[in-house]
Amino acid sequence: MPSLPVQGRTLVMGILNVTPDSFSDGGRWDSADAAIARGLELAREGADIVDVGGESTRPGAARVEPGEEVTRVLPVVEALAAEGVPVSIDTMRARTARAAVDAGACLVNDVSGGLADPDMGRIVAELECDYVAMHWRAHSTQMDDLDVYADVVGEVGTELSERIGALTAAGVDPARIILDPGLGFAKVADSNWPLLARMGEWSGGARVLVGASRKRFLGAAIARDGIDASDPSVREHATTAVTTLAAHHGAWAVRVHDARAARDAIAVASAWQNATSTPE
């Protein structure tokens, strides 16, 4: 099994949706052969980890049957791992997580933070793999209605702390838990920005994954006359800006569609930071 990369910089997690209905690239890689080719391309372009998902979590998406999810992702995980590509499995189901790790995945990326499947904590503890716990309040059909916060940074921090407590109680090593603020999940627009700007307040020193790529709140920020920001592909430059700032502020990884742009942005941020710390 390929191991999770250890680097002295922010890592790039390349998005690989093996689905017909993901918000930005649904259907482009929904056959195993196409998905494997795309995963290898992401790795060549600079992705340190390829995140394979078989169920869309876009707003309003319906859930896929468990067996269908496994059928979609397993051949892709196996093939990429066999090529030495570090793979994460993007799933809310413990069954899928176990099958993918057995097939070579080295990380479980769970957008529900263990809330969608009560067996997830126990299975991750048995697998002894790293685990991304995202802030989550409900499935895609309901999540926009739950964008209600008096203090988004404090509430997200508290809810993630509760997830860490539940996961460690199930046997997960806290050092293996990576936190994700869940940008766009029960956070339609303005609720996202304080979580980025105040990352250190809600993360409690844990590793942080930032998944902003092409999301709606970036479209809202860049909307102006002559720009159709409802098109996810138009949000790519804004994504790169977030990547640069996330790297500057010490994010463990960014989850992106364009691995090359992210890798370049991180290199520039690193060069800038190195120059400011080097005496003349």
Side-chain angles (χ1 to χ4, degrees), residues 41-71:
E41 181 181 38
L42 283 166
R44 288 193 300 271
E45 291 178 348
D48 301 290
I49 307 161
V50 174
D51 191 40
V52 179
E55 178 177 41
S56 175
T57 52
R58 64 176 173 76
R63 299 217 65 189
V64 68
E65 289 298 317
E68 175 63 20
E69 183 186 23
V70 172
T71 298

Side-chain angles (χ1 to χ4, degrees), residues 4 13 49 51 88-89 91 107-114 120 124 129-135 160 167 176-182 207-210 252-253 255:
L4 199 61
M13 178 184 284
I49 307 161
D51 191 40
S88 59
I89 179 65
T91 185
L107 172 70
V108 175
N109 180 17
D110 179 359
V111 301
S112 82
M120 184 65 88
V124 169
C129 62
D130 282 31
Y131 175 78
V132 176
M134 196 191 82
H135 177 263
L160 283 172
L167 291 162
R176 288 193 173 275
I177 299 173
I178 300 153
L179 299 182
D180 180 335
R207 290 175 290 168
V208 171
L209 173 65
V210 172
W252 169 76
R255 183 177 182 273

Side-chain angles (χ1 to χ4, degrees), residues 9-269:
R9 59 166 171 77
T10 297
L11 300 176
V12 175
M13 178 184 284
I15 298 168
L16 182 54
N17 293 314
V18 193
T19 60
D21 58 343
S22 291
F23 82 96
S24 179
D25 56 0
R28 294 191 68 186
W29 328 112
D30 63 348
S31 73
D33 288 346
I36 292 163
R38 176 56 180 161
L40 294 172
E41 181 181 38
L42 283 166
R44 288 193 300 271
E45 291 178 348
D48 301 290
I49 307 161
V50 174
D51 191 40
V52 179
E55 178 177 41
S56 175
T57 52
R58 64 176 173 76
R63 299 217 65 189
V64 68
E65 289 298 317
E68 175 63 20
E69 183 186 23
V70 172
T71 298
R72 289 176 179 179
V73 300
L74 215 56
V76 182
V77 172
E78 288 177 338
L80 294 177
E83 292 292 329
V85 176
V87 176
S88 59
I89 179 65
D90 176 6
T91 185
M92 292 182 277
R93 290 189 173 101
R95 170 187 170 184
T96 306
R98 181 186 286 283
V101 172
D102 287 346
C106 55
L107 172 70
V108 175
N109 180 17
D110 179 359
V111 301
S112 82
L115 287 169
D117 187 336
D119 290 331
M120 184 65 88
R122 176 180 59 83
I123 295 301
V124 169
E126 292 175 4
L127 293 170
E128 297 184 332
C129 62
D130 282 31
Y131 175 78
V132 176
M134 196 191 82
H135 177 263
W136 184 85
R137 286 184 163 179
H139 286 290
S140 297
T141 52
Q142 302 169 287
M143 65 183 184
D144 282 357
D145 296 333
L146 298 177
D147 181 14
V148 180
Y149 303 90
D151 170 12
V152 66
V153 173
E155 290 171 52
V156 167
T158 296
E159 290 169 34
L160 283 172
S161 181
E162 290 170 354
R163 297 315 309 146
I164 292 172
L167 291 162
T168 54
V172 179
D173 179 351
R176 288 193 173 275
I177 299 173
I178 300 153
L179 299 182
D180 180 335
L183 303 173
F185 289 78
K187 306 165 196 77
V188 177
D190 292 343
S191 298
N192 297 279
W193 295 109
L195 295 167
L196 287 167
R198 297 160 61 188
M199 198 160 57
E201 294 182 36
W202 55 261
S203 64
R207 290 175 290 168
V208 171
L209 173 65
V210 172
S213 191
R214 300 180 182 174
K215 289 188 174 176
R216 293 174 295 171
F217 78 99
L218 297 180
I222 65 173
R224 58 189 183 274
D225 289 345
I227 299 294
D228 179 13
S230 65
D231 177 357
S233 66
V234 172
R235 307 167 192 163
E236 191 56 55
H237 293 171
T239 299
T240 304
V242 172
T243 292
T244 307
L245 291 165
H248 177 73
H249 289 283
W252 169 76
V254 290
R255 183 177 182 273
V256 297
H257 294 85
D258 188 333
R260 178 174 291 141
R263 191 65 177 265
D264 289 350
I266 291 164
V268 168

